[in-house]
Each structure stands twice: as structure tokens, then as C-alpha cells.
Amino acid sequence: KEFLVEISGTTVTITCPSTEESNVVWEITGTKASSGERKHVIENHNSSPTNVSCSSGAKKHEMYLNVRVCANCQELDALAVTGIITADLLITSGVLILVYYFSKDRKGRPSASAGARPRGE
């Protein structure tokens, strides 16, 4: 069984894989907190790696928690990300087509550079 970790802003919610609901003892980097619930909420997490363990009775589950949190993050669903990527690809290909068609006519013309001098004998 695995831990369930949910991240929202700077709040991290951890669910213990133990099936027993009562007497769950949480230990986070040396400090014990007996909340009695399977879920433990860490408010204002500072993104530092921590060791998390939960135990109920004789069973003890341990986990190394290394999550990055931020206060000003926006959560995007898969449809929004797909839309942004598709729009970016369409705009980029449109610009490429425009540059191709506008530069196509200039291939045969000689350039009029200031440094060009006729060669002497």
C-alpha cells in the first residue's frame, strides 16, 4: 500500500495507507503528532524534504516526502494545457508560413550592399 499525497498551494495532505481509522500516530522529522485520523494536513509547508511515518498498532509505514509547493501557483486541468499547446503550435506554424511566403520572392534579387565595389584589372 502507498501513501496518498495531495498538494494545494502550500498545504500538503497525506493519507496513511493503514486501514485502521483510530489511533494513528504521525511522526514528521522527529516530532510526534497523534491525530487519530488517517489524514494529516501540513499547513504552510516550506518545501524542505522531510521523513514522514504513520503507525497504527504494530504496523508502521514510512515515506520520504520531497515536494515543492508555492503560494501563487495556478492549477490547470489537462484540457487547458492541451488548448494552450495547440494554440501555440498553430500560431508558430502560421508565422513560419508567412515568413516563407514573404521571403520566397527575394531569392533571385542581388543584394545592394554598400561595400560592393567592381573588381579592377
Side-chain angles (χ1 to χ4, degrees):
K1 294 184 179 183
E2 297 179 351
F3 282 89
L4 176 65
V5 179
E6 301 170 24
I7 303 166
S8 177
T10 59
T11 304
V12 179
T13 305
I14 308 166
T15 304
C16 185
S18 177
T19 57
E20 298 177 22
E21 288 289 332
S22 62
N23 262 348
V24 177
V25 178
W26 288 92
E27 185 175 345
I28 300 174
T29 316
T31 57
K32 286 190 178 185
S34 62
S35 63
E37 296 180 9
R38 286 184 60 202
K39 289 190 177 187
H40 183 69
V41 179
I42 303 172
E43 297 283 341
N44 298 323
H45 185 61
N46 58 1
S47 297
S48 63
T50 56
N51 290 317
V52 177
S53 67
C54 69
S55 59
S56 61
K59 294 182 179 180
K60 184 173 184 178
H61 303 278
E62 296 181 352
M63 172 181 68
Y64 179 73
L65 181 68
N66 189 10
V67 295
R68 301 197 109 202
V69 296
C70 62
N72 299 327
C73 295
Q74 295 292 327
E75 296 181 19
L76 295 176
D77 59 341
L79 185 62
V81 173
T82 305
I84 290 170
I85 292 172
T86 304
D88 182 38
L89 290 173
L90 288 174
I91 291 170
T92 303
S93 60
V95 169
L96 285 174
I97 291 170
L98 286 174
V99 167
Y100 173 74
Y101 280 116
F102 280 118
S103 67
K104 190 165 85 169
D105 297 335
R106 298 183 182 209
K107 286 184 183 175
R109 296 182 187 164
S111 64
S113 62
R117 291 182 284 170
R119 299 179 104 194
E121 292 182 21

